[in-house]
Every structure is written in C-alpha cells, then in structure tokens.
Amino acid sequence: MRNMVNKDQVAGLAKQVKGSVKQAAGKATGNRQTQAEGMADKVAGKVQKAYGDVKDKVKKAL
C-alpha cells in the first residue's frame, strides 16, 4: 500500500511555505503587515495540514 497525501496536506504545506516566505520578506523590508500576514498564512497552513492528517488517519482506520 502506497502512502498517499491528500490535497489538504499538500495545500497546507504549500500555505506554510508561502507564509514563511511572506513573513521573511516582511521582516527584511520592515513591513509589519506583510510579516503578520505571513504568520497568519503559516498558522492557516498548519491547521489545514493537520486537518488533512486527521482525514488520512480516519480513512486508513476504515
């Protein structure tokens, strides 16, 4: 059986990466709004990935 990732896991990871880049850009330029938006994207990505992880575990349990 292959270990497949679902779309929520992938989207969550992508959002985390986007957030990290945005946060770093905000920090480098001194733009607090961009930095805050990056932090928010990272948190949203972590939540979405966690949802995907739970969904995957439930699917495997059934």
Side-chain angles (χ1 to χ4, degrees):
M1 179 186 291
R2 291 191 314 151
N3 187 11
M4 305 225 8
V5 266
N6 62 44
K7 65 181 180 179
D8 290 305
Q9 290 169 317
V10 172
L13 284 172
K15 204 175 283 186
Q16 286 180 56
V17 170
K18 175 186 161 196
S20 292
V21 169
K22 198 171 189 178
Q23 183 180 9
K27 192 172 186 177
T29 61
N31 187 329
R32 289 179 180 246
Q33 182 176 349
T34 300
Q35 190 175 358
E37 288 171 1
M39 289 173 62
D41 285 346
K42 280 174 48 176
V43 170
K46 286 180 182 181
V47 169
Q48 187 170 8
K49 184 185 177 303
Y51 170 73
D53 291 345
V54 168
K55 204 163 84 169
D56 190 49
K57 286 180 184 176
V58 167
K59 184 178 177 183
K60 286 179 181 177
L62 296 178

